[in-house]
Amino acid sequence: MGKRTVFPDEQLISPPNKRPKLGDNTLIKTDARLVQSSENLRKLLAFQQDATSALRQNIQTFKGFLDSILYGQESFDRPANLSILLEYLQSTLPSAGDTLSVPLPDIIQTWSFAAQSNHDGLLSAVPAVLALLLKTISTSIDFRECGSQLCHALLQNDQIRLFDRGLTANKSKERLISPCLRLLNEITSFDGGSSARKVYQQRDVTFKRLDIFLSMGNQSPSTINGYKVKTSVRSNALQYVLSNLRFQDQGTKGDILSQPKLIRAIFNSISEDPSEIIINVLESLKKSVILDSSLGRKYKSMLLSEWSLSQVVHLYDYKEAARTEDGSITVAEFAHGFLLFVCTTIDHGVLVEQNDWYPPGTEISTKNRDNDPPLLDIEKSDTREKYSSRVPVRNTTLAAFIQKLRPWANSYHRTLALAILNTAPELVADYFFKKKTFSFEPKLSATWIGYSAFLFSSVQLSLPSTQYEWPPPVSIVLESILPQPLNQKILTRCINQRAKLISFFAVRLLIVAFQKLESLLSFWTTRREERWTKAGVDLLAGFCQRCPELKHVIAASRSVSEDHTMLREALLRLIAMYYKITPQLALNEKFDISSMLVYALEKNHQTQGGTLDQSMHFLELDHLLEIARRSPDMSWWHKPGTFCTEIQSHKLIENTKESIQLSPFTTVLRLHITRIGPRGDTVRSLLRSLIREHSILQYETSILALNALIVSLTEVEYWKASDALYSFLDNCILRLVRKPIHYCGELEKITKALSADTVGQNMKSSISLLFVVIMEQWSFLSEACSKAEFANATEWLTRYFEYSAYIGENVTILRTIKSSISGLFSIDSHEFDPEGTSNKSFLTVLPEKIQQLLKEDDTCIPNDDKTGSNIDDQAPVAESEVVLLHLKPPDEPEDHSGLRRWTNKSVLDAVEDGAVGDLVLCLSSQYEEIRKQALISIRVLASKLEVSEYLEWQQLHLLLEEVMESAKYIIATKQFPSVAGVIAARAVMVLNDPLHFMYPKVNKFLNKSPSWEIVKLPSYWVDKVFLHPPADDDTHQREVQWVVDTLIEGLRTAQDMELYRRCNIFERLLSFAASPTLTSNILEKIIHLFYRCSFVEGSSTLITRCGLLSWLQARLLYGGPHQALVAILAKRVYETCDKNRISEWSDGYIARGVEDIIT
């Protein structure tokens, strides 16, 4: 029969049935019941030099007696045994005044004898039983005096030599070292550490080789199958060190923590310790060192060094759990809590106070007042380059520590790293600057997913609270929004990946980056100071350089199938954020979402409610509406047939010709009326802005005309708007948008036909132009639809007339329009009553709808305060003031880099980067040498175009030739007018894009003459754009804005101001500002142009020659958006004008007028 298998646990614990081998080193078990009195103990422990085996046996009996007291075995009488032990100890105490005797003289003599005779058995047994004795009596106050005298005696020189004998033993003799360590531990902790100081005074022996003992790793666990195993030397040494850290005073603690070898030995093998010991070590260090307020941070930092923290991190891989007072907890969880505690709290030895995104040294400058010279100028142009690759930090320990974490591989690592970065924002930039080992190159693996999750969470970290007067370095802030691993190239590759999970991760990461950027910019804008606004502009520019171009996101959104609902929604959300937060990127791309919006509207109409699909469709529709609201390429007014081909080509829906019959605007209107989604306020705001921008309805009554139209189309019990009605309404709106001037003229004819007495006071009350179009087209409706559809439309028109009269539109004009179509009006029993009495019959049909119309929040406020074609109309006054700070003409660059930028690039890159435009602008330099060099460089560029592969080289060559022909006779004596240089520079960008809305007019201008008539150049563009039809039906407003932007950018000197005055530019703009089709955005641009005049000595000219202040007063009386800008402009113009001359010229009227405008 084979041998029985020996299990590992059985190798450590001898089977209880095996007969022990007899010899000198054998511990013979004895019965503790033999001790019945103190006399028995005295005889039992009496020293016998010639009977070493008996001595060991007696000491073992005494140990069993102490075990019965300490662990309270039921078979023993614990109080009686305590009395016996107390009586015995008191009998061994030396008498008063006896300084030579010691307590327990027999045991001490036995220990001394063992040291002299090198008896390892006794050398191990005596300190072990003394340690057990102190542990036993430490819980009773009656033994305090006995224990204190014993501790004092053990620390005398004679006994210290005995400790030295045990502590200097060979490392292989653990049975000699461990009892001494346990005894020192008990002496240190006895009576609340009353003898701890004396222990440390003997540190030459008591702390001897302690680092070596701590390095003696645990070879076996502390328990096996419930059996308690003898503790190792390291465990005893750890308990001894922890006791000293607990009971020693502040100075002694500092000395202990100042020993690097000792601290290193504590953490070096901590991952190999039993779970109970690990938790005990961390908990003791937390209570005795970290939470000790009397201990200086210097000593705490010695304990919690970068290396020590890294050793604790290794405990994340510890699998065992330990039992604590609060229950069972894993070592990994406890270590994680410990690291979070020490790394994220000030004064715990690791984290030091820092100033968020401000590097060391910059906070001194930022605390200075505006009138004090800064000690460190963080606004210098080289600041971004200075912190582009490295940044100094205060938390150097944490900065080095987090570099060793692996947040992509372990959830504890990720949580800890994010907590540190959130607590110390200064470390974010430093972390990503140094983290060069991992690339975000798209690869669908567990490591890449983990790293992307970490980057996502790091971008989601909250913004720090900035308390200084100066903005932080932009390069540091940018790392917290879009870190360096997320560059444009890699993000573009991620978005274009076939693996949709990679694309989804990248898109979601960009979304949170955009959200964080938006929050930060809005916070910086509230500071109302130019330096903060400039920092915001720089931050936005840096962000745009890292995020992918919008065209890649658009391409990805078009390639996503119907099955990937979440990815499609995320892509649309991202595109909406491009338009909202970075319009400079979005407007570079041509993205007409008309087809996608109409498809989404139809899809939303077909989807059943209460499903997940409908929720996702609502989100997609919300994003599409946001894009459409901000995109200048949105075709709101195209005929329905123009979308069918595009939608069918994408296979979006079937039978598109039957399902899509309305323009996007009318489709959104119909959706809002029949099926309002979760964001009905967004749809209504969009409709309101479009109606205001194109003057479809009036906006002067206190109740919105849009509400009257919506309620009139709302379904009731006996009536529902037909498809033919919506088609008719769509046709009327499209005609009005395309020919607004025509219908304004028709309305003017109607008002003139009415007698002055009839209209009189009501002439200024509003009337919607939509009624004029309906009047013109009503006769065609009866021919194009059935009788039932015509009756349906007639019922609607009756209701619409009544509601329009009810909200305050001009009743006289309404009555005139109705009478003009009365021949085709099948229901003509209703008469309009200015007082609204005729509406009572209808109010009984829809009382709740009418009440809702009147009680809605946005209907009880005048439209001037609610509407506007631009989303930014509702911006606070402070934001408007900050925007105006950037209207100051730019200073001429000292390096004139435009002369040489184009030389290192291809023609296409030079055009797209604006290098060609910068070269042309050098003709407007104040230095003759620069102007001549610019002219020569333009000639070289023109000759280079002829041999280049640039597709649009002919138009660009023609432009450069005309610029040279126009400038060669001017630059010899004076500057080339800035407006001419700006027009040429902007024309370069137009010619590069044949789809640009200004492309036809720019080419027509170039074919007009071989040279430009500079004195008539501004007036030419104003006439051709303001007074002539656009190249496309819906590009007029964009062309006007392009010209106004050009005029603003071209106004840089007093000579430019004089050129504008001679061309009557200001008078034309003031007249154009009264146009009913003027958008709020263009009005804001016009105000910006007048504000810029104040920087080029034009304020007096605006007041005396253009009547600007009178126009501003009229704008305030008229109402509308940008009231704050009007007041700011009036104040600025008056402050920068020649006040003495203006006061004499106006006899003080101008000063009083400005005061009225401001107040």
PDB file of all heavy atoms in Angstrom, residues 892 896 914-926 930-931 934 938 963 976-986 1049-1050 1052:
ATOM      1  N   GLU A 892      -0.607  96.418 -35.924  1.00  0.00           N
ATOM      2  CA  GLU A 892       0.205  95.830 -36.988  1.00  0.00           C
ATOM      3  C   GLU A 892       1.276  94.947 -36.366  1.00  0.00           C
ATOM      4  O   GLU A 892       1.999  95.383 -35.461  1.00  0.00           O
ATOM      5  CB  GLU A 892       0.849  96.925 -37.833  1.00  0.00           C
ATOM      6  CG  GLU A 892       1.659  96.395 -39.009  1.00  0.00           C
ATOM      7  CD  GLU A 892       2.178  97.517 -39.885  1.00  0.00           C
ATOM      8  OE1 GLU A 892       1.713  98.671 -39.719  1.00  0.00           O
ATOM      9  OE2 GLU A 892       3.049  97.248 -40.727  1.00  0.00           O
ATOM     10  N   HIS A 896       5.705  90.897 -39.037  1.00  0.00           N
ATOM     11  CA  HIS A 896       5.176  90.838 -40.401  1.00  0.00           C
ATOM     12  C   HIS A 896       5.393  89.447 -41.006  1.00  0.00           C
ATOM     13  O   HIS A 896       5.953  89.278 -42.092  1.00  0.00           O
ATOM     14  CB  HIS A 896       5.833  91.901 -41.294  1.00  0.00           C
ATOM     15  CG  HIS A 896       5.542  93.304 -40.855  1.00  0.00           C
ATOM     16  ND1 HIS A 896       6.368  93.988 -39.998  1.00  0.00           N
ATOM     17  CD2 HIS A 896       4.512  94.137 -41.135  1.00  0.00           C
ATOM     18  CE1 HIS A 896       5.875  95.198 -39.769  1.00  0.00           C
ATOM     19  NE2 HIS A 896       4.746  95.318 -40.451  1.00  0.00           N
ATOM     20  N   GLY A 914      -4.918  80.873 -44.812  1.00  0.00           N
ATOM     21  CA  GLY A 914      -4.981  82.330 -44.747  1.00  0.00           C
ATOM     22  C   GLY A 914      -3.655  83.008 -44.983  1.00  0.00           C
ATOM     23  O   GLY A 914      -3.546  84.228 -44.783  1.00  0.00           O
ATOM     24  N   ALA A 915      -2.627  82.261 -45.390  1.00  0.00           N
ATOM     25  CA  ALA A 915      -1.315  82.872 -45.604  1.00  0.00           C
ATOM     26  C   ALA A 915      -1.338  83.843 -46.785  1.00  0.00           C
ATOM     27  O   ALA A 915      -0.670  84.892 -46.750  1.00  0.00           O
ATOM     28  CB  ALA A 915      -0.265  81.779 -45.843  1.00  0.00           C
ATOM     29  N   VAL A 916      -2.099  83.524 -47.836  1.00  0.00           N
ATOM     30  CA  VAL A 916      -2.202  84.439 -48.974  1.00  0.00           C
ATOM     31  C   VAL A 916      -2.919  85.720 -48.559  1.00  0.00           C
ATOM     32  O   VAL A 916      -2.517  86.827 -48.938  1.00  0.00           O
ATOM     33  CB  VAL A 916      -2.938  83.749 -50.138  1.00  0.00           C
ATOM     34  CG1 VAL A 916      -3.139  84.724 -51.290  1.00  0.00           C
ATOM     35  CG2 VAL A 916      -2.169  82.527 -50.608  1.00  0.00           C
ATOM     36  N   GLY A 917      -3.972  85.592 -47.762  1.00  0.00           N
ATOM     37  CA  GLY A 917      -4.662  86.779 -47.270  1.00  0.00           C
ATOM     38  C   GLY A 917      -3.775  87.654 -46.406  1.00  0.00           C
ATOM     39  O   GLY A 917      -3.823  88.890 -46.506  1.00  0.00           O
ATOM     40  N   ASP A 918      -2.949  87.028 -45.550  1.00  0.00           N
ATOM     41  CA  ASP A 918      -2.021  87.810 -44.724  1.00  0.00           C
ATOM     42  C   ASP A 918      -1.003  88.547 -45.582  1.00  0.00           C
ATOM     43  O   ASP A 918      -0.604  89.673 -45.259  1.00  0.00           O
ATOM     44  CB  ASP A 918      -1.301  86.883 -43.744  1.00  0.00           C
ATOM     45  CG  ASP A 918      -2.248  86.315 -42.692  1.00  0.00           C
ATOM     46  OD1 ASP A 918      -3.345  86.888 -42.536  1.00  0.00           O
ATOM     47  OD2 ASP A 918      -1.889  85.307 -42.056  1.00  0.00           O
ATOM     48  N   LEU A 919      -0.589  87.917 -46.668  1.00  0.00           N
ATOM     49  CA  LEU A 919       0.358  88.581 -47.570  1.00  0.00           C
ATOM     50  C   LEU A 919      -0.265  89.813 -48.211  1.00  0.00           C
ATOM     51  O   LEU A 919       0.377  90.873 -48.293  1.00  0.00           O
ATOM     52  CB  LEU A 919       0.813  87.590 -48.645  1.00  0.00           C
ATOM     53  CG  LEU A 919       1.709  88.151 -49.757  1.00  0.00           C
ATOM     54  CD1 LEU A 919       3.005  88.706 -49.167  1.00  0.00           C
ATOM     55  CD2 LEU A 919       1.998  87.082 -50.794  1.00  0.00           C
ATOM     56  N   VAL A 920      -1.507  89.711 -48.644  1.00  0.00           N
ATOM     57  CA  VAL A 920      -2.182  90.854 -49.263  1.00  0.00           C
ATOM     58  C   VAL A 920      -2.366  91.979 -48.251  1.00  0.00           C
ATOM     59  O   VAL A 920      -2.209  93.166 -48.573  1.00  0.00           O
ATOM     60  CB  VAL A 920      -3.520  90.406 -49.857  1.00  0.00           C
ATOM     61  CG1 VAL A 920      -4.306  91.607 -50.367  1.00  0.00           C
ATOM     62  CG2 VAL A 920      -3.302  89.405 -50.978  1.00  0.00           C
ATOM     63  N   LEU A 921      -2.658  91.636 -47.003  1.00  0.00           N
ATOM     64  CA  LEU A 921      -2.867  92.662 -45.972  1.00  0.00           C
ATOM     65  C   LEU A 921      -1.581  93.422 -45.654  1.00  0.00           C
ATOM     66  O   LEU A 921      -1.641  94.522 -45.108  1.00  0.00           O
ATOM     67  CB  LEU A 921      -3.420  92.016 -44.700  1.00  0.00           C
ATOM     68  CG  LEU A 921      -4.888  91.571 -44.770  1.00  0.00           C
ATOM     69  CD1 LEU A 921      -5.283  90.845 -43.492  1.00  0.00           C
ATOM     70  CD2 LEU A 921      -5.799  92.767 -44.992  1.00  0.00           C
ATOM     71  N   CYS A 922      -0.433  92.863 -45.987  1.00  0.00           N
ATOM     72  CA  CYS A 922       0.820  93.579 -45.764  1.00  0.00           C
ATOM     73  C   CYS A 922       0.923  94.827 -46.643  1.00  0.00           C
ATOM     74  O   CYS A 922       1.738  95.719 -46.363  1.00  0.00           O
ATOM     75  CB  CYS A 922       2.011  92.661 -46.020  1.00  0.00           C
ATOM     76  SG  CYS A 922       2.238  91.374 -44.766  1.00  0.00           S
ATOM     77  N   LEU A 923       0.106  94.916 -47.689  1.00  0.00           N
ATOM     78  CA  LEU A 923       0.080  96.135 -48.513  1.00  0.00           C
ATOM     79  C   LEU A 923      -0.464  97.326 -47.737  1.00  0.00           C
ATOM     80  O   LEU A 923      -0.228  98.475 -48.115  1.00  0.00           O
ATOM     81  CB  LEU A 923      -0.779  95.905 -49.765  1.00  0.00           C
ATOM     82  CG  LEU A 923      -0.251  94.888 -50.787  1.00  0.00           C
ATOM     83  CD1 LEU A 923      -1.295  94.652 -51.855  1.00  0.00           C
ATOM     84  CD2 LEU A 923       1.054  95.386 -51.411  1.00  0.00           C
ATOM     85  N   SER A 924      -1.180  97.057 -46.654  1.00  0.00           N
ATOM     86  CA  SER A 924      -1.742  98.128 -45.825  1.00  0.00           C
ATOM     87  C   SER A 924      -0.843  98.490 -44.663  1.00  0.00           C
ATOM     88  O   SER A 924      -1.281  99.189 -43.731  1.00  0.00           O
ATOM     89  CB  SER A 924      -3.126  97.707 -45.307  1.00  0.00           C
ATOM     90  OG  SER A 924      -3.996  97.400 -46.373  1.00  0.00           O
ATOM     91  N   SER A 925       0.413  98.055 -44.681  1.00  0.00           N
ATOM     92  CA  SER A 925       1.344  98.365 -43.596  1.00  0.00           C
ATOM     93  C   SER A 925       1.681  99.863 -43.593  1.00  0.00           C
ATOM     94  O   SER A 925       1.671 100.527 -44.631  1.00  0.00           O
ATOM     95  CB  SER A 925       2.620  97.539 -43.756  1.00  0.00           C
ATOM     96  OG  SER A 925       3.596  97.938 -42.829  1.00  0.00           O
ATOM     97  N   GLN A 926       2.008 100.361 -42.434  1.00  0.00           N
ATOM     98  CA  GLN A 926       2.389 101.765 -42.318  1.00  0.00           C
ATOM     99  C   GLN A 926       3.826 102.011 -42.760  1.00  0.00           C
ATOM    100  O   GLN A 926       4.243 103.154 -42.917  1.00  0.00           O
ATOM    101  CB  GLN A 926       2.206 102.231 -40.873  1.00  0.00           C
ATOM    102  CG  GLN A 926       3.038 101.435 -39.874  1.00  0.00           C
ATOM    103  CD  GLN A 926       2.845 101.915 -38.448  1.00  0.00           C
ATOM    104  OE1 GLN A 926       2.651 103.117 -38.224  1.00  0.00           O
ATOM    105  NE2 GLN A 926       2.898 100.981 -37.493  1.00  0.00           N
ATOM    106  N   ILE A 930       7.797  97.503 -46.046  1.00  0.00           N
ATOM    107  CA  ILE A 930       6.945  96.314 -45.948  1.00  0.00           C
ATOM    108  C   ILE A 930       5.984  96.259 -47.127  1.00  0.00           C
ATOM    109  O   ILE A 930       5.750  95.187 -47.713  1.00  0.00           O
ATOM    110  CB  ILE A 930       6.185  96.302 -44.609  1.00  0.00           C
ATOM    111  CG1 ILE A 930       7.170  96.296 -43.422  1.00  0.00           C
ATOM    112  CG2 ILE A 930       5.246  95.108 -44.532  1.00  0.00           C
ATOM    113  CD1 ILE A 930       8.066  95.093 -43.388  1.00  0.00           C
ATOM    114  N   ARG A 931       5.420  97.403 -47.490  1.00  0.00           N
ATOM    115  CA  ARG A 931       4.476  97.425 -48.611  1.00  0.00           C
ATOM    116  C   ARG A 931       5.163  97.005 -49.914  1.00  0.00           C
ATOM    117  O   ARG A 931       4.599  96.255 -50.725  1.00  0.00           O
ATOM    118  CB  ARG A 931       3.865  98.815 -48.743  1.00  0.00           C
ATOM    119  CG  ARG A 931       3.070  99.280 -47.522  1.00  0.00           C
ATOM    120  CD  ARG A 931       2.190 100.460 -47.849  1.00  0.00           C
ATOM    121  NE  ARG A 931       2.949 101.657 -48.227  1.00  0.00           N
ATOM    122  CZ  ARG A 931       3.300 102.622 -47.377  1.00  0.00           C
ATOM    123  NH1 ARG A 931       3.005 102.499 -46.092  1.00  0.00           N
ATOM    124  NH2 ARG A 931       3.973 103.689 -47.798  1.00  0.00           N
ATOM    125  N   ALA A 934       5.812  93.325 -49.910  1.00  0.00           N
ATOM    126  CA  ALA A 934       4.562  92.598 -50.124  1.00  0.00           C
ATOM    127  C   ALA A 934       4.196  92.569 -51.604  1.00  0.00           C
ATOM    128  O   ALA A 934       3.756  91.533 -52.133  1.00  0.00           O
ATOM    129  CB  ALA A 934       3.448  93.222 -49.302  1.00  0.00           C
ATOM    130  N   ILE A 938       3.787  89.228 -53.865  1.00  0.00           N
ATOM    131  CA  ILE A 938       2.553  88.901 -54.588  1.00  0.00           C
ATOM    132  C   ILE A 938       2.866  88.574 -56.047  1.00  0.00           C
ATOM    133  O   ILE A 938       2.266  87.673 -56.645  1.00  0.00           O
ATOM    134  CB  ILE A 938       1.554  90.066 -54.468  1.00  0.00           C
ATOM    135  CG1 ILE A 938       1.071  90.203 -53.015  1.00  0.00           C
ATOM    136  CG2 ILE A 938       0.359  89.864 -55.399  1.00  0.00           C
ATOM    137  CD1 ILE A 938       0.176  91.403 -52.775  1.00  0.00           C
ATOM    138  N   VAL A 963      -5.120  93.277 -57.745  1.00  0.00           N
ATOM    139  CA  VAL A 963      -4.623  93.910 -56.512  1.00  0.00           C
ATOM    140  C   VAL A 963      -3.308  94.625 -56.787  1.00  0.00           C
ATOM    141  O   VAL A 963      -3.097  95.773 -56.351  1.00  0.00           O
ATOM    142  CB  VAL A 963      -4.452  92.843 -55.410  1.00  0.00           C
ATOM    143  CG1 VAL A 963      -3.691  93.429 -54.220  1.00  0.00           C
ATOM    144  CG2 VAL A 963      -5.796  92.323 -54.949  1.00  0.00           C
ATOM    145  N   PHE A 976      -2.069 101.234 -48.557  1.00  0.00           N
ATOM    146  CA  PHE A 976      -3.191 100.683 -49.310  1.00  0.00           C
ATOM    147  C   PHE A 976      -4.379 100.599 -48.359  1.00  0.00           C
ATOM    148  O   PHE A 976      -4.257 100.084 -47.248  1.00  0.00           O
ATOM    149  CB  PHE A 976      -2.823  99.300 -49.848  1.00  0.00           C
ATOM    150  CG  PHE A 976      -3.765  98.757 -50.869  1.00  0.00           C
ATOM    151  CD1 PHE A 976      -3.997  99.455 -52.053  1.00  0.00           C
ATOM    152  CD2 PHE A 976      -4.400  97.538 -50.678  1.00  0.00           C
ATOM    153  CE1 PHE A 976      -4.856  98.944 -53.025  1.00  0.00           C
ATOM    154  CE2 PHE A 976      -5.252  97.022 -51.629  1.00  0.00           C
ATOM    155  CZ  PHE A 976      -5.491  97.736 -52.810  1.00  0.00           C
ATOM    156  N   PRO A 977      -5.556 101.127 -48.720  1.00  0.00           N
ATOM    157  CA  PRO A 977      -6.690 101.131 -47.780  1.00  0.00           C
ATOM    158  C   PRO A 977      -6.954  99.740 -47.202  1.00  0.00           C
ATOM    159  O   PRO A 977      -6.950  98.734 -47.931  1.00  0.00           O
ATOM    160  CB  PRO A 977      -7.851 101.616 -48.645  1.00  0.00           C
ATOM    161  CG  PRO A 977      -7.213 102.443 -49.706  1.00  0.00           C
ATOM    162  CD  PRO A 977      -5.905 101.774 -49.996  1.00  0.00           C
ATOM    163  N   SER A 978      -7.194  99.730 -45.913  1.00  0.00           N
ATOM    164  CA  SER A 978      -7.379  98.440 -45.233  1.00  0.00           C
ATOM    165  C   SER A 978      -8.579  97.699 -45.778  1.00  0.00           C
ATOM    166  O   SER A 978      -8.560  96.465 -45.900  1.00  0.00           O
ATOM    167  CB  SER A 978      -7.543  98.673 -43.725  1.00  0.00           C
ATOM    168  OG  SER A 978      -6.402  99.308 -43.188  1.00  0.00           O
ATOM    169  N   VAL A 979      -9.649  98.420 -46.105  1.00  0.00           N
ATOM    170  CA  VAL A 979     -10.846  97.747 -46.595  1.00  0.00           C
ATOM    171  C   VAL A 979     -10.566  97.049 -47.917  1.00  0.00           C
ATOM    172  O   VAL A 979     -11.093  95.948 -48.179  1.00  0.00           O
ATOM    173  CB  VAL A 979     -12.011  98.758 -46.716  1.00  0.00           C
ATOM    174  CG1 VAL A 979     -11.707  99.820 -47.774  1.00  0.00           C
ATOM    175  CG2 VAL A 979     -13.306  98.037 -47.052  1.00  0.00           C
ATOM    176  N   ALA A 980      -9.712  97.628 -48.755  1.00  0.00           N
ATOM    177  CA  ALA A 980      -9.363  96.969 -50.014  1.00  0.00           C
ATOM    178  C   ALA A 980      -8.566  95.700 -49.751  1.00  0.00           C
ATOM    179  O   ALA A 980      -8.786  94.659 -50.396  1.00  0.00           O
ATOM    180  CB  ALA A 980      -8.571  97.930 -50.898  1.00  0.00           C
ATOM    181  N   GLY A 981      -7.625  95.760 -48.821  1.00  0.00           N
ATOM    182  CA  GLY A 981      -6.859  94.565 -48.487  1.00  0.00           C
ATOM    183  C   GLY A 981      -7.716  93.477 -47.875  1.00  0.00           C
ATOM    184  O   GLY A 981      -7.547  92.288 -48.169  1.00  0.00           O
ATOM    185  N   VAL A 982      -8.679  93.882 -47.031  1.00  0.00           N
ATOM    186  CA  VAL A 982      -9.557  92.896 -46.396  1.00  0.00           C
ATOM    187  C   VAL A 982     -10.466  92.249 -47.440  1.00  0.00           C
ATOM    188  O   VAL A 982     -10.700  91.028 -47.422  1.00  0.00           O
ATOM    189  CB  VAL A 982     -10.381  93.568 -45.280  1.00  0.00           C
ATOM    190  CG1 VAL A 982     -11.480  92.637 -44.788  1.00  0.00           C
ATOM    191  CG2 VAL A 982      -9.476  93.959 -44.126  1.00  0.00           C
ATOM    192  N   ILE A 983     -11.002  93.063 -48.365  1.00  0.00           N
ATOM    193  CA  ILE A 983     -11.848  92.497 -49.429  1.00  0.00           C
ATOM    194  C   ILE A 983     -11.047  91.497 -50.255  1.00  0.00           C
ATOM    195  O   ILE A 983     -11.540  90.405 -50.591  1.00  0.00           O
ATOM    196  CB  ILE A 983     -12.413  93.632 -50.305  1.00  0.00           C
ATOM    197  CG1 ILE A 983     -13.452  94.432 -49.523  1.00  0.00           C
ATOM    198  CG2 ILE A 983     -13.030  93.070 -51.584  1.00  0.00           C
ATOM    199  CD1 ILE A 983     -13.977  95.643 -50.269  1.00  0.00           C
ATOM    200  N   ALA A 984      -9.815  91.834 -50.582  1.00  0.00           N
ATOM    201  CA  ALA A 984      -8.984  90.912 -51.357  1.00  0.00           C
ATOM    202  C   ALA A 984      -8.702  89.632 -50.574  1.00  0.00           C
ATOM    203  O   ALA A 984      -8.771  88.521 -51.122  1.00  0.00           O
ATOM    204  CB  ALA A 984      -7.678  91.600 -51.743  1.00  0.00           C
ATOM    205  N   ALA A 985      -8.390  89.762 -49.278  1.00  0.00           N
ATOM    206  CA  ALA A 985      -8.084  88.584 -48.460  1.00  0.00           C
ATOM    207  C   ALA A 985      -9.308  87.676 -48.315  1.00  0.00           C
ATOM    208  O   ALA A 985      -9.205  86.446 -48.396  1.00  0.00           O
ATOM    209  CB  ALA A 985      -7.568  89.015 -47.086  1.00  0.00           C
ATOM    210  N   ARG A 986     -10.472  88.263 -48.109  1.00  0.00           N
ATOM    211  CA  ARG A 986     -11.695  87.463 -47.979  1.00  0.00           C
ATOM    212  C   ARG A 986     -12.115  86.877 -49.325  1.00  0.00           C
ATOM    213  O   ARG A 986     -12.714  85.797 -49.385  1.00  0.00           O
ATOM    214  CB  ARG A 986     -12.815  88.308 -47.378  1.00  0.00           C
ATOM    215  CG  ARG A 986     -12.557  88.698 -45.918  1.00  0.00           C
ATOM    216  CD  ARG A 986     -13.591  89.693 -45.415  1.00  0.00           C
ATOM    217  NE  ARG A 986     -14.907  89.107 -45.298  1.00  0.00           N
ATOM    218  CZ  ARG A 986     -15.382  88.456 -44.236  1.00  0.00           C
ATOM    219  NH1 ARG A 986     -14.586  88.306 -43.176  1.00  0.00           N
ATOM    220  NH2 ARG A 986     -16.597  87.971 -44.211  1.00  0.00           N
ATOM    221  N   GLU A1049     -13.986  94.571 -40.381  1.00  0.00           N
ATOM    222  CA  GLU A1049     -12.571  94.190 -40.409  1.00  0.00           C
ATOM    223  C   GLU A1049     -11.722  95.199 -41.183  1.00  0.00           C
ATOM    224  O   GLU A1049     -10.543  95.388 -40.895  1.00  0.00           O
ATOM    225  CB  GLU A1049     -12.431  92.796 -41.031  1.00  0.00           C
ATOM    226  CG  GLU A1049     -11.036  92.208 -40.897  1.00  0.00           C
ATOM    227  CD  GLU A1049     -10.959  90.804 -41.440  1.00  0.00           C
ATOM    228  OE1 GLU A1049     -12.022  90.235 -41.773  1.00  0.00           O
ATOM    229  OE2 GLU A1049      -9.835  90.274 -41.532  1.00  0.00           O
ATOM    230  N   GLY A1050     -12.315  95.857 -42.186  1.00  0.00           N
ATOM    231  CA  GLY A1050     -11.561  96.813 -42.988  1.00  0.00           C
ATOM    232  C   GLY A1050     -11.433  98.187 -42.387  1.00  0.00           C
ATOM    233  O   GLY A1050     -10.703  99.043 -42.913  1.00  0.00           O
ATOM    234  N   ARG A1052      -9.732 100.202 -39.898  1.00  0.00           N
ATOM    235  CA  ARG A1052      -8.586 100.083 -38.997  1.00  0.00           C
ATOM    236  C   ARG A1052      -7.892 101.404 -38.718  1.00  0.00           C
ATOM    237  O   ARG A1052      -7.176 101.513 -37.728  1.00  0.00           O
ATOM    238  CB  ARG A1052      -7.569  99.084 -39.584  1.00  0.00           C
ATOM    239  CG  ARG A1052      -8.147  97.715 -39.847  1.00  0.00           C
ATOM    240  CD  ARG A1052      -7.087  96.701 -40.193  1.00  0.00           C
ATOM    241  NE  ARG A1052      -7.646  95.360 -40.389  1.00  0.00           N
ATOM    242  CZ  ARG A1052      -6.949  94.257 -40.503  1.00  0.00           C
ATOM    243  NH1 ARG A1052      -5.609  94.324 -40.449  1.00  0.00           N
ATOM    244  NH2 ARG A1052      -7.530  93.087 -40.682  1.00  0.00           N
TER     245      ARG A1052
END
